[in-house]
PDB file of all heavy atoms in Angstrom:
ATOM      1  N   HIS A  93      -5.820  22.868  12.065  1.00 97.00           N
ATOM      2  CA  HIS A  93      -4.851  23.564  12.899  1.00 97.00           C
ATOM      3  C   HIS A  93      -3.967  22.594  13.685  1.00 97.00           C
ATOM      4  O   HIS A  93      -2.950  23.010  14.264  1.00 97.00           O
ATOM      5  CB  HIS A  93      -5.559  24.525  13.858  1.00 97.00           C
ATOM      6  CG  HIS A  93      -6.214  25.677  13.152  1.00 97.00           C
ATOM      7  ND1 HIS A  93      -7.517  26.047  13.372  1.00 97.00           N
ATOM      8  CD2 HIS A  93      -5.743  26.523  12.200  1.00 97.00           C
ATOM      9  CE1 HIS A  93      -7.827  27.076  12.592  1.00 97.00           C
ATOM     10  NE2 HIS A  93      -6.768  27.380  11.877  1.00 97.00           N
ATOM     11  N   PHE A  94      -4.328  21.303  13.711  1.00 98.00           N
ATOM     12  CA  PHE A  94      -3.475  20.309  14.354  1.00 98.00           C
ATOM     13  C   PHE A  94      -2.263  19.956  13.479  1.00 98.00           C
ATOM     14  O   PHE A  94      -1.286  19.388  13.972  1.00 98.00           O
ATOM     15  CB  PHE A  94      -4.268  19.028  14.646  1.00 98.00           C
ATOM     16  CG  PHE A  94      -5.243  19.165  15.783  1.00 98.00           C
ATOM     17  CD1 PHE A  94      -6.606  19.219  15.554  1.00 98.00           C
ATOM     18  CD2 PHE A  94      -4.789  19.232  17.096  1.00 98.00           C
ATOM     19  CE1 PHE A  94      -7.507  19.339  16.589  1.00 98.00           C
ATOM     20  CE2 PHE A  94      -5.683  19.354  18.155  1.00 98.00           C
ATOM     21  CZ  PHE A  94      -7.041  19.415  17.897  1.00 98.00           C
ATOM     22  N   ILE A  95      -2.319  20.253  12.191  1.00 98.00           N
ATOM     23  CA  ILE A  95      -1.291  19.775  11.261  1.00 98.00           C
ATOM     24  C   ILE A  95       0.100  20.312  11.588  1.00 98.00           C
ATOM     25  O   ILE A  95       1.069  19.534  11.635  1.00 98.00           O
ATOM     26  CB  ILE A  95      -1.697  20.093   9.809  1.00 98.00           C
ATOM     27  CG1 ILE A  95      -2.950  19.295   9.428  1.00 98.00           C
ATOM     28  CG2 ILE A  95      -0.554  19.789   8.847  1.00 98.00           C
ATOM     29  CD1 ILE A  95      -3.536  19.638   8.073  1.00 98.00           C
ATOM     30  N   PRO A  96       0.282  21.612  11.831  1.00 98.00           N
ATOM     31  CA  PRO A  96       1.636  22.091  12.157  1.00 98.00           C
ATOM     32  C   PRO A  96       2.240  21.415  13.384  1.00 98.00           C
ATOM     33  O   PRO A  96       3.450  21.160  13.416  1.00 98.00           O
ATOM     34  CB  PRO A  96       1.436  23.590  12.381  1.00 98.00           C
ATOM     35  CG  PRO A  96       0.230  23.929  11.562  1.00 98.00           C
ATOM     36  CD  PRO A  96      -0.666  22.741  11.687  1.00 98.00           C
ATOM     37  N   SER A  97       1.434  21.121  14.390  1.00 97.00           N
ATOM     38  CA  SER A  97       1.970  20.452  15.576  1.00 97.00           C
ATOM     39  C   SER A  97       2.370  19.014  15.262  1.00 97.00           C
ATOM     40  O   SER A  97       3.317  18.482  15.844  1.00 97.00           O
ATOM     41  CB  SER A  97       0.957  20.488  16.730  1.00 97.00           C
ATOM     42  OG  SER A  97      -0.232  19.788  16.387  1.00 97.00           O
ATOM     43  N   ILE A  98       1.661  18.380  14.324  1.00 98.00           N
ATOM     44  CA  ILE A  98       2.052  17.042  13.863  1.00 98.00           C
ATOM     45  C   ILE A  98       3.400  17.118  13.148  1.00 98.00           C
ATOM     46  O   ILE A  98       4.293  16.298  13.374  1.00 98.00           O
ATOM     47  CB  ILE A  98       0.974  16.453  12.937  1.00 98.00           C
ATOM     48  CG1 ILE A  98      -0.328  16.213  13.717  1.00 98.00           C
ATOM     49  CG2 ILE A  98       1.450  15.151  12.296  1.00 98.00           C
ATOM     50  CD1 ILE A  98      -1.505  15.838  12.839  1.00 98.00           C
ATOM     51  N   TRP A  99       3.555  18.113  12.271  1.00 98.00           N
ATOM     52  CA  TRP A  99       4.835  18.291  11.573  1.00 98.00           C
ATOM     53  C   TRP A  99       5.975  18.484  12.570  1.00 98.00           C
ATOM     54  O   TRP A  99       7.037  17.871  12.426  1.00 98.00           O
ATOM     55  CB  TRP A  99       4.760  19.497  10.634  1.00 98.00           C
ATOM     56  CG  TRP A  99       3.887  19.298   9.430  1.00 98.00           C
ATOM     57  CD1 TRP A  99       3.451  18.104   8.925  1.00 98.00           C
ATOM     58  CD2 TRP A  99       3.356  20.315   8.583  1.00 98.00           C
ATOM     59  NE1 TRP A  99       2.678  18.321   7.813  1.00 98.00           N
ATOM     60  CE2 TRP A  99       2.605  19.659   7.571  1.00 98.00           C
ATOM     61  CE3 TRP A  99       3.436  21.702   8.561  1.00 98.00           C
ATOM     62  CZ2 TRP A  99       1.940  20.361   6.564  1.00 98.00           C
ATOM     63  CZ3 TRP A  99       2.788  22.399   7.562  1.00 98.00           C
ATOM     64  CH2 TRP A  99       2.037  21.731   6.570  1.00 98.00           C
ATOM     65  N   LYS A 100       5.763  19.325  13.567  1.00 97.00           N
ATOM     66  CA  LYS A 100       6.812  19.596  14.552  1.00 97.00           C
ATOM     67  C   LYS A 100       7.210  18.325  15.285  1.00 97.00           C
ATOM     68  O   LYS A 100       8.411  18.056  15.488  1.00 97.00           O
ATOM     69  CB  LYS A 100       6.344  20.655  15.545  1.00 97.00           C
ATOM     70  CG  LYS A 100       7.407  21.023  16.581  1.00 97.00           C
ATOM     71  CD  LYS A 100       6.925  22.111  17.525  1.00 97.00           C
ATOM     72  CE  LYS A 100       8.006  22.468  18.545  1.00 97.00           C
ATOM     73  NZ  LYS A 100       7.551  23.530  19.484  1.00 97.00           N
ATOM     74  N   TYR A 101       6.230  17.512  15.648  1.00 97.00           N
ATOM     75  CA  TYR A 101       6.526  16.277  16.376  1.00 97.00           C
ATOM     76  C   TYR A 101       7.331  15.312  15.510  1.00 97.00           C
ATOM     77  O   TYR A 101       8.287  14.692  15.972  1.00 97.00           O
ATOM     78  CB  TYR A 101       5.230  15.607  16.846  1.00 97.00           C
ATOM     79  CG  TYR A 101       5.467  14.480  17.828  1.00 97.00           C
ATOM     80  CD1 TYR A 101       5.535  14.731  19.190  1.00 97.00           C
ATOM     81  CD2 TYR A 101       5.653  13.169  17.382  1.00 97.00           C
ATOM     82  CE1 TYR A 101       5.779  13.703  20.098  1.00 97.00           C
ATOM     83  CE2 TYR A 101       5.898  12.138  18.272  1.00 97.00           C
ATOM     84  CZ  TYR A 101       5.964  12.414  19.626  1.00 97.00           C
ATOM     85  OH  TYR A 101       6.217  11.396  20.520  1.00 97.00           O
ATOM     86  N   VAL A 102       6.934  15.200  14.259  1.00 97.00           N
ATOM     87  CA  VAL A 102       7.641  14.289  13.341  1.00 97.00           C
ATOM     88  C   VAL A 102       9.084  14.748  13.131  1.00 97.00           C
ATOM     89  O   VAL A 102      10.012  13.930  13.094  1.00 97.00           O
ATOM     90  CB  VAL A 102       6.902  14.192  11.992  1.00 97.00           C
ATOM     91  CG1 VAL A 102       7.740  13.450  10.961  1.00 97.00           C
ATOM     92  CG2 VAL A 102       5.559  13.495  12.178  1.00 97.00           C
TER      93      VAL A 102
END
Side-chain angles (χ1 to χ4, degrees):
H93 292 130
F94 287 108
I95 294 174
S97 62
I98 295 171
W99 290 342
K100 182 178 180 180
Y101 191 89
V102 170

